[in-house]
Amino acid sequence: MSQKKPQMQVEQKVPENIVKKTARDTKLREAVAKRRTDRLAANKTRRAQWEKNAQAYQNEYQAADKSLVDNIRKAKTEGGFYVPAEARLILVVRIRGINTLNPQVRQTLRLLKLRQLHNAAFVRVNKATIEMIRKVEPYVTYGYPSRAVIKNLIYKRGYAKINGQRIPITNNNVIEQQLGKVGIHSIEDLIHEIVTVGAHFKEANRFLWAFKLRGPRGGFIAKRRSFINQGDWGNREDLINDLVKRMI
Amino acid sequence: MTSVPLVSVFSADDSTKVTAKHIPLPAVFQTPIRPDIVSFVHTNIAKNRRQAHAVNPQAGMQHSAESWGTGRAVARIPRVSGSGTHRSGQAAFGNQCRKGRMSLPIKVWRRWHRRVNIKQKRHAAASAVAATGIVPLVLARGHRISQVPQIPLVVEDKIESYEKTTDALNFLKRFGAFEDVQKVVSTKVVRAGISKQRGKKYRVRKGPLVVYFNENAKLLKAFRNVPGVEVVNVTRLNLLQLAPGGQLGRFVIWTQSAFAHLDKLFGTYRYASVLKDGYQLLRPLLTNPDLARIINSNQVQEKVQPAKTTTVLHEVQKKNPLRNTKAMDRLNPYARKQRAAAIAAIKANTKGTKKIKKNKALKKASRAAFNKVSAALNDATNAAVQEEQDIKVKYFSVQKGAAQAE
């Protein structure tokens, strides 16, 4: 518009809301920066702790291996036999699909987290779980996983159940957020808990989503038969490790 | 420059001269802009000028056509009776037929007009008047008002006595309204469609609307021939002129007395209208529309929760830590050292585990035990083999002896 005629005289002053907003914004910015520095410092201490724990676990595992060998040798010298403790942990792998399932079998497989073909899950060994596995035996194969297999499963195929969502375990915050309160802060803590079936195995296992494995390279022998009968289903004890290595 | 609460009245002869300063804006210009009410009222009011029309009720039915029924290998539509012409036997009456009557023929008793509640009409008019005082709305409607000194443009009553079109034109030029008139002239086009044969040859845009007050004003004749300009008395403000097409923001030129009359017409927020019986201007939803000020006020900011920070829990893509060293380091910082130690051990040509302190005594003892067992086994095997050999030798020698005996 030409001939702009100001009706009111306005002083060149910064409007009040802008002054307030800039003050508020600087305060927020400072808070964010401080949060960041605090977080970075905390992360440093956390990482040191993870390293320390991982080293402690490595020593523990090696000591366990060594003691097993020592015990066997000792038994040999005495002319006897060393019987190691029965496995406390089972890895169950579903080898049958979803069609034409007995409802009880269906439900039990769900309880074991095995909702899909080639799903694998850790199960603690006790009377209750043994009975459950017996119910679904022709549909699964199971055995006692080695430390290496447990480790590889969790590193490569490890996903967490957070708020009903399947979240990949890409950093230890995922673990810390859910399991920090039971003393599991890093992935090595988690693996240790699973391997040793510790006091918080329940929380640790519940935290894990079922492992979604691929079909085994080289195939199954015969899923229609039990493992004992030159087939695949049922308990195959330590040989589960060979199978799962082909399925990871 | 929008919604200026004070308005200047310009001299008709000189657009730089102001005859009256700081006239308060009538309350109508402060009413809320309600495009929903305006468009509703406009769509209905626009139907009220329609004239009834209809098709001839007998059109397409002036036959004694009858269906031939089934069994004659033709469709069952009524067919024109008689013979001796192409038309006989052709389909008739149906809307699908050539020369048939249309489906649902238009009747004159179609409901052409719409009634609208008086209050709605008044609110719409008030809203439309308010919109004429808002520059962005007038610009958005397409008026060329960049050279107009003030919106709303109020001019002294002298223009009401203009008799010559030249006076009118010069007045418009002086106040920068001629650009709008030029727009109307340059965009006059021949209408598309059959209406051009029915007396509506040209489509002409709307230009400025001149609003006057005195009934015996002569300016109607002066402005009548200027393309696009409409003239209307303030007591007869028409929504179809204030918001043509339902679009708010007509460019309006008010005379001083017309402008002053608006308060009596529509009333203010202090008192109801004098001339529109019992009409009270619409009240706005927000008394303080300055949202920025409300949001940034102390009262609101005290109650406001801190902004949510979006923390991403996990990386977007999962990398395999067994193959990706960065991913592994993120999860297990000790793995790097383990790997380095393993590589070093391989280089040093030793087993890849930490040197375990071997229990040499135990190893020696178990070795001794093993040797003992294996030695015993060995002796036993040798003894068994020897025994078998002896038996065989004995047998063969017996046989030999027997053979020799024979």
PDB file of all heavy atoms in Angstrom, chain B residues 181-199:
ATOM      1  N   VAL B 181     -10.785  -1.971 -12.172  1.00  0.00           N
ATOM      2  CA  VAL B 181     -11.665  -1.829 -13.339  1.00  0.00           C
ATOM      3  C   VAL B 181     -10.978  -2.337 -14.586  1.00  0.00           C
ATOM      4  O   VAL B 181     -11.568  -3.025 -15.414  1.00  0.00           O
ATOM      5  CB  VAL B 181     -12.093  -0.353 -13.503  1.00  0.00           C
ATOM      6  CG1 VAL B 181     -12.854  -0.153 -14.792  1.00  0.00           C
ATOM      7  CG2 VAL B 181     -12.924   0.092 -12.318  1.00  0.00           C
ATOM      8  N   GLN B 182      -9.691  -2.034 -14.706  1.00  0.00           N
ATOM      9  CA  GLN B 182      -8.936  -2.502 -15.875  1.00  0.00           C
ATOM     10  C   GLN B 182      -8.876  -4.018 -15.916  1.00  0.00           C
ATOM     11  O   GLN B 182      -8.938  -4.628 -16.984  1.00  0.00           O
ATOM     12  CB  GLN B 182      -7.507  -1.946 -15.826  1.00  0.00           C
ATOM     13  CG  GLN B 182      -7.415  -0.531 -16.314  1.00  0.00           C
ATOM     14  CD  GLN B 182      -6.025   0.008 -16.114  1.00  0.00           C
ATOM     15  OE1 GLN B 182      -5.392  -0.231 -15.094  1.00  0.00           O
ATOM     16  NE2 GLN B 182      -5.543   0.745 -17.087  1.00  0.00           N
ATOM     17  N   LYS B 183      -8.776  -4.593 -14.732  1.00  0.00           N
ATOM     18  CA  LYS B 183      -8.777  -6.062 -14.668  1.00  0.00           C
ATOM     19  C   LYS B 183     -10.074  -6.597 -15.255  1.00  0.00           C
ATOM     20  O   LYS B 183     -10.091  -7.556 -16.028  1.00  0.00           O
ATOM     21  CB  LYS B 183      -8.627  -6.504 -13.199  1.00  0.00           C
ATOM     22  CG  LYS B 183      -8.841  -7.997 -12.989  1.00  0.00           C
ATOM     23  CD  LYS B 183      -9.219  -8.331 -11.577  1.00  0.00           C
ATOM     24  CE  LYS B 183     -10.701  -8.130 -11.358  1.00  0.00           C
ATOM     25  NZ  LYS B 183     -11.135  -8.486 -10.002  1.00  0.00           N
ATOM     26  N   VAL B 184     -11.198  -5.970 -14.860  1.00  0.00           N
ATOM     27  CA  VAL B 184     -12.494  -6.415 -15.363  1.00  0.00           C
ATOM     28  C   VAL B 184     -12.557  -6.307 -16.883  1.00  0.00           C
ATOM     29  O   VAL B 184     -12.998  -7.233 -17.573  1.00  0.00           O
ATOM     30  CB  VAL B 184     -13.628  -5.584 -14.715  1.00  0.00           C
ATOM     31  CG1 VAL B 184     -14.945  -5.864 -15.378  1.00  0.00           C
ATOM     32  CG2 VAL B 184     -13.708  -5.876 -13.226  1.00  0.00           C
ATOM     33  N   VAL B 185     -12.057  -5.190 -17.395  1.00  0.00           N
ATOM     34  CA  VAL B 185     -12.122  -4.960 -18.844  1.00  0.00           C
ATOM     35  C   VAL B 185     -11.283  -5.970 -19.592  1.00  0.00           C
ATOM     36  O   VAL B 185     -11.702  -6.555 -20.585  1.00  0.00           O
ATOM     37  CB  VAL B 185     -11.661  -3.521 -19.162  1.00  0.00           C
ATOM     38  CG1 VAL B 185     -11.479  -3.337 -20.649  1.00  0.00           C
ATOM     39  CG2 VAL B 185     -12.667  -2.516 -18.635  1.00  0.00           C
ATOM     40  N   SER B 186     -10.079  -6.177 -19.089  1.00  0.00           N
ATOM     41  CA  SER B 186      -9.158  -7.024 -19.855  1.00  0.00           C
ATOM     42  C   SER B 186      -9.513  -8.493 -19.761  1.00  0.00           C
ATOM     43  O   SER B 186      -9.078  -9.284 -20.588  1.00  0.00           O
ATOM     44  CB  SER B 186      -7.732  -6.798 -19.363  1.00  0.00           C
ATOM     45  OG  SER B 186      -7.611  -7.234 -18.031  1.00  0.00           O
ATOM     46  N   THR B 187     -10.290  -8.868 -18.765  1.00  0.00           N
ATOM     47  CA  THR B 187     -10.611 -10.292 -18.618  1.00  0.00           C
ATOM     48  C   THR B 187     -12.032 -10.599 -19.059  1.00  0.00           C
ATOM     49  O   THR B 187     -12.589 -11.625 -18.687  1.00  0.00           O
ATOM     50  CB  THR B 187     -10.451 -10.747 -17.165  1.00  0.00           C
ATOM     51  OG1 THR B 187     -11.263  -9.925 -16.333  1.00  0.00           O
ATOM     52  CG2 THR B 187      -9.017 -10.671 -16.723  1.00  0.00           C
ATOM     53  N   LYS B 188     -12.641  -9.729 -19.817  1.00  0.00           N
ATOM     54  CA  LYS B 188     -13.981 -10.016 -20.325  1.00  0.00           C
ATOM     55  C   LYS B 188     -13.863 -11.028 -21.454  1.00  0.00           C
ATOM     56  O   LYS B 188     -13.159 -10.801 -22.430  1.00  0.00           O
ATOM     57  CB  LYS B 188     -14.598  -8.719 -20.845  1.00  0.00           C
ATOM     58  CG  LYS B 188     -16.015  -8.850 -21.315  1.00  0.00           C
ATOM     59  CD  LYS B 188     -16.572  -7.447 -21.556  1.00  0.00           C
ATOM     60  CE  LYS B 188     -17.869  -7.563 -22.346  1.00  0.00           C
ATOM     61  NZ  LYS B 188     -18.401  -6.252 -22.704  1.00  0.00           N
ATOM     62  N   VAL B 189     -14.512 -12.166 -21.286  1.00  0.00           N
ATOM     63  CA  VAL B 189     -14.401 -13.232 -22.288  1.00  0.00           C
ATOM     64  C   VAL B 189     -15.776 -13.666 -22.742  1.00  0.00           C
ATOM     65  O   VAL B 189     -16.758 -13.524 -22.007  1.00  0.00           O
ATOM     66  CB  VAL B 189     -13.656 -14.469 -21.739  1.00  0.00           C
ATOM     67  CG1 VAL B 189     -12.185 -14.242 -21.717  1.00  0.00           C
ATOM     68  CG2 VAL B 189     -14.177 -14.875 -20.392  1.00  0.00           C
ATOM     69  N   VAL B 190     -15.805 -14.198 -23.926  1.00  0.00           N
ATOM     70  CA  VAL B 190     -17.047 -14.800 -24.411  1.00  0.00           C
ATOM     71  C   VAL B 190     -17.282 -16.081 -23.617  1.00  0.00           C
ATOM     72  O   VAL B 190     -16.392 -16.907 -23.455  1.00  0.00           O
ATOM     73  CB  VAL B 190     -16.947 -15.101 -25.915  1.00  0.00           C
ATOM     74  CG1 VAL B 190     -18.125 -15.934 -26.374  1.00  0.00           C
ATOM     75  CG2 VAL B 190     -16.872 -13.818 -26.708  1.00  0.00           C
ATOM     76  N   ARG B 191     -18.490 -16.204 -23.137  1.00  0.00           N
ATOM     77  CA  ARG B 191     -18.803 -17.354 -22.276  1.00  0.00           C
ATOM     78  C   ARG B 191     -18.762 -18.647 -23.069  1.00  0.00           C
ATOM     79  O   ARG B 191     -19.147 -18.704 -24.236  1.00  0.00           O
ATOM     80  CB  ARG B 191     -20.201 -17.156 -21.687  1.00  0.00           C
ATOM     81  CG  ARG B 191     -20.576 -18.100 -20.570  1.00  0.00           C
ATOM     82  CD  ARG B 191     -22.019 -17.860 -20.162  1.00  0.00           C
ATOM     83  NE  ARG B 191     -22.197 -16.548 -19.542  1.00  0.00           N
ATOM     84  CZ  ARG B 191     -22.204 -16.343 -18.237  1.00  0.00           C
ATOM     85  NH1 ARG B 191     -22.016 -17.346 -17.404  1.00  0.00           N
ATOM     86  NH2 ARG B 191     -22.393 -15.122 -17.769  1.00  0.00           N
ATOM     87  N   ALA B 192     -18.280 -19.673 -22.411  1.00  0.00           N
ATOM     88  CA  ALA B 192     -18.338 -20.992 -23.033  1.00  0.00           C
ATOM     89  C   ALA B 192     -19.729 -21.547 -22.855  1.00  0.00           C
ATOM     90  O   ALA B 192     -20.371 -21.304 -21.845  1.00  0.00           O
ATOM     91  CB  ALA B 192     -17.322 -21.911 -22.376  1.00  0.00           C
ATOM     92  N   GLY B 193     -20.198 -22.248 -23.820  1.00  0.00           N
ATOM     93  CA  GLY B 193     -21.473 -22.919 -23.640  1.00  0.00           C
ATOM     94  C   GLY B 193     -22.624 -22.213 -24.331  1.00  0.00           C
ATOM     95  O   GLY B 193     -22.480 -21.162 -24.940  1.00  0.00           O
ATOM     96  N   ILE B 194     -23.803 -22.840 -24.177  1.00  0.00           N
ATOM     97  CA  ILE B 194     -24.971 -22.402 -24.941  1.00  0.00           C
ATOM     98  C   ILE B 194     -25.553 -21.096 -24.413  1.00  0.00           C
ATOM     99  O   ILE B 194     -26.352 -20.447 -25.099  1.00  0.00           O
ATOM    100  CB  ILE B 194     -26.029 -23.534 -24.927  1.00  0.00           C
ATOM    101  CG1 ILE B 194     -26.817 -23.525 -26.238  1.00  0.00           C
ATOM    102  CG2 ILE B 194     -26.962 -23.421 -23.755  1.00  0.00           C
ATOM    103  CD1 ILE B 194     -26.250 -24.379 -27.273  1.00  0.00           C
ATOM    104  N   SER B 195     -25.142 -20.741 -23.168  1.00  0.00           N
ATOM    105  CA  SER B 195     -25.716 -19.532 -22.579  1.00  0.00           C
ATOM    106  C   SER B 195     -25.450 -18.301 -23.413  1.00  0.00           C
ATOM    107  O   SER B 195     -26.202 -17.324 -23.352  1.00  0.00           O
ATOM    108  CB  SER B 195     -25.154 -19.288 -21.187  1.00  0.00           C
ATOM    109  OG  SER B 195     -25.361 -20.388 -20.381  1.00  0.00           O
ATOM    110  N   LYS B 196     -24.377 -18.356 -24.213  1.00  0.00           N
ATOM    111  CA  LYS B 196     -24.097 -17.161 -24.998  1.00  0.00           C
ATOM    112  C   LYS B 196     -25.190 -16.890 -26.017  1.00  0.00           C
ATOM    113  O   LYS B 196     -25.392 -15.754 -26.439  1.00  0.00           O
ATOM    114  CB  LYS B 196     -22.733 -17.226 -25.678  1.00  0.00           C
ATOM    115  CG  LYS B 196     -22.515 -18.345 -26.634  1.00  0.00           C
ATOM    116  CD  LYS B 196     -21.162 -18.128 -27.302  1.00  0.00           C
ATOM    117  CE  LYS B 196     -20.502 -19.370 -27.820  1.00  0.00           C
ATOM    118  NZ  LYS B 196     -20.298 -20.425 -26.873  1.00  0.00           N
ATOM    119  N   GLN B 197     -25.934 -17.970 -26.376  1.00  0.00           N
ATOM    120  CA  GLN B 197     -27.056 -17.751 -27.284  1.00  0.00           C
ATOM    121  C   GLN B 197     -28.320 -17.377 -26.533  1.00  0.00           C
ATOM    122  O   GLN B 197     -29.351 -17.130 -27.133  1.00  0.00           O
ATOM    123  CB  GLN B 197     -27.320 -19.030 -28.092  1.00  0.00           C
ATOM    124  CG  GLN B 197     -26.168 -19.404 -28.978  1.00  0.00           C
ATOM    125  CD  GLN B 197     -26.368 -20.771 -29.579  1.00  0.00           C
ATOM    126  OE1 GLN B 197     -27.478 -21.292 -29.600  1.00  0.00           O
ATOM    127  NE2 GLN B 197     -25.288 -21.368 -30.062  1.00  0.00           N
ATOM    128  N   ARG B 198     -28.193 -17.340 -25.209  1.00  0.00           N
ATOM    129  CA  ARG B 198     -29.381 -17.052 -24.410  1.00  0.00           C
ATOM    130  C   ARG B 198     -29.204 -15.767 -23.643  1.00  0.00           C
ATOM    131  O   ARG B 198     -29.685 -15.608 -22.532  1.00  0.00           O
ATOM    132  CB  ARG B 198     -29.660 -18.211 -23.460  1.00  0.00           C
ATOM    133  CG  ARG B 198     -29.974 -19.499 -24.207  1.00  0.00           C
ATOM    134  CD  ARG B 198     -30.199 -20.650 -23.258  1.00  0.00           C
ATOM    135  NE  ARG B 198     -30.537 -21.874 -23.976  1.00  0.00           N
ATOM    136  CZ  ARG B 198     -30.635 -23.062 -23.400  1.00  0.00           C
ATOM    137  NH1 ARG B 198     -30.415 -23.186 -22.108  1.00  0.00           N
ATOM    138  NH2 ARG B 198     -30.962 -24.133 -24.106  1.00  0.00           N
ATOM    139  N   GLY B 199     -28.445 -14.864 -24.231  1.00  0.00           N
ATOM    140  CA  GLY B 199     -28.363 -13.534 -23.648  1.00  0.00           C
ATOM    141  C   GLY B 199     -27.245 -13.340 -22.643  1.00  0.00           C
ATOM    142  O   GLY B 199     -27.135 -12.308 -22.015  1.00  0.00           O
TER     143      GLY B 199
END
